[in-house]
Amino acid sequence: LVTGANADRRWIATYDRYFDQTWKDGVRLALAVLFVGALWLLLWLGAALFDLIGVKWVGETIQKPWFAFPATTTFFALAIHLTDVRASLVRGIRTVALTLLSWLLPVMAVIGAGFLIALPFTGLALLWDTKSAAGILLSAAAALIVLLNAAYQEGEAEDHPPVALKWAGRVTGLIIAPLVAIAAYGLILRIGQYGLTPDRIYGVACTIVAVVYAAGYAASVFWPGPWLKRLEVTNVIAAHLVVAVLLALFSPIANPSRLSVKDQVARLDRGAVTPAKFDYLFLRFEAGKPGMDALKALAARKTGPHAADIAKRA
């Protein structure tokens, strides 16, 4: 967002600029990760060769933090630099990758539409029994969003995209919303039953972003004008929302551990969960400092319902 706006010398850059910058950096990141992975494969192969002749120090050395961290970050930086110098090569790889990904869109659109058609006949009970329905549904929605953007690229042009992808895009724009709605409903039920946990707060954060994408993409299907043109506005709004949500999660405003601990202790206080079934281990091992502070407070509790039992268990 910053580099695109800086290049255009305006607060909000053109969509073409965002598209070029974002997908180029995405390809550079993927290439850098592959490059570092290849480095470590070679290092482990070298260590194995030396191990054959009884030289153990090579394998031991590459596992040391003082070697592993600088080696990884140096070669990662080298990959980022080389791909920046070879910008035309990166754009060529990006074009090929987006073209390949775009033709997966009809496949995923058929899968998503088939799932929604079958759902009224199977009911939601089987979905909730998996205990991971919201995560799977949000992952499916995320895959559809990525594939739709791979097909859209910089928007409708004279020979882009083919008719098949246009119709797949329209179907995708419509099916993301019900997938996100079902995921949100499942998340609400789960929180109502068992309260907040860090994972569920992350799920809520993802759902908030997904709702914006779902609403914007559904509206773009019916918006008059070029094919899915409103998708561009949705992407820019959602990108800024992602930044805001991340800042909230990594600040006291929506710190997952703090919110989870507060909610779980409140459930204990109002009797939604008994002292025997309350998850004290969550406070001790999974909730960081807020959990430890709450556990100490419970252990020192002397008043209120079941105070002695709660203090003993804490």
Side-chain angles (χ1 to χ4, degrees):
L1 291 172
V2 172
T3 55
N6 181 64
D8 271 3
R9 292 292 186 268
R10 49 194 289 187
W11 286 104
I12 303 295
T14 61
Y15 189 77
D16 291 349
R17 177 75 68 180
Y18 283 139
F19 167 80
D20 181 66
Q21 187 76 41
T22 304
W23 283 99
K24 184 182 74 174
D25 285 348
V27 172
R28 292 172 65 201
L29 176 62
L31 291 174
V33 170
L34 290 173
F35 184 65
V36 172
L39 165 71
W40 277 100
L41 283 175
L42 292 175
L43 288 175
W44 283 112
L45 178 60
L49 286 174
F50 279 101
D51 192 50
L52 291 175
I53 56 175
V55 179
K56 305 288 187 182
W57 65 266
V58 176
E60 294 171 355
T61 299
I62 65 174
Q63 297 180 59
K64 301 292 185 182
W66 59 262
F67 175 87
F69 290 176
T72 300
T73 52
T74 300
F75 277 82
F76 183 85
L78 181 62
I80 291 294
H81 173 67
L82 290 174
T83 52
D84 187 42
V85 172
R86 303 282 185 174
S88 58
L89 178 63
V90 171
R91 285 192 174 90
I93 296 172
R94 180 190 69 186
T95 301
V96 173
L98 289 176
T99 302
L100 292 174
L101 281 174
S102 66
W103 283 103
L104 293 176
L105 178 64
V107 177
M108 193 62 194
V110 169
I111 292 172
F115 170 80
L116 292 174
I117 292 170
L119 196 58
F121 300 98
T122 61
L124 294 175
L126 292 175
L127 206 60
W128 306 147
D129 287 344
T130 64
K131 302 191 187 319
S132 57
I136 295 173
L137 289 167
L138 289 174
S139 297
L144 288 167
I145 290 168
V146 171
L147 294 176
L148 180 53
N149 278 279
Y152 186 83
Q153 298 186 29
E154 293 174 280
E156 187 177 24
E158 186 176 346
D159 299 319
H160 174 82
V163 175
L165 289 185
K166 284 188 178 182
W167 280 106
R170 292 186 180 100
V171 172
T172 299
L174 294 175
I175 64 177
I176 292 174
L179 290 175
V180 172
I182 297 169
Y185 178 59
L187 199 56
I188 291 169
L189 290 179
R190 199 76 177 163
I191 291 172
Q193 289 177 312
Y194 302 107
L196 291 175
T197 63
D199 284 346
R200 288 174 197 142
I201 290 173
Y202 291 130
V204 170
C206 292
T207 302
I208 291 171
V209 175
V211 166
V212 173
Y213 276 114
Y217 285 13
S220 68
V221 174
F222 301 104
W223 205 272
W227 176 67
L228 301 182
K229 184 67 175 175
R230 299 299 295 180
L231 175 146
E232 298 179 4
V233 177
T234 301
N235 283 349
V236 175
I237 293 173
H240 286 84
L241 176 62
V242 166
V243 173
V245 168
L246 286 173
L247 288 174
L249 289 173
F250 283 93
S251 72
I253 297 172
N255 179 275
S257 295
R258 184 181 64 81
L259 293 180
S260 299
V261 168
K262 184 178 179 180
D263 181 68
Q264 292 296 337
V265 173
R267 283 170 53 82
L268 176 65
D269 290 339
R270 67 173 182 266
V273 60
T274 64
K277 292 186 176 181
F278 183 75
D279 195 353
Y280 302 93
L281 293 178
F282 165 74
L283 299 182
R284 173 62 182 84
F285 295 107
E286 299 177 40
K289 187 177 184 300
M292 286 295 295
D293 291 343
L295 192 63
K296 291 175 182 177
L298 292 178
R301 180 172 289 192
K302 291 182 170 50
T303 60
H306 312 291
D309 190 20
I310 292 172
K312 180 182 177 182
R313 294 176 183 277

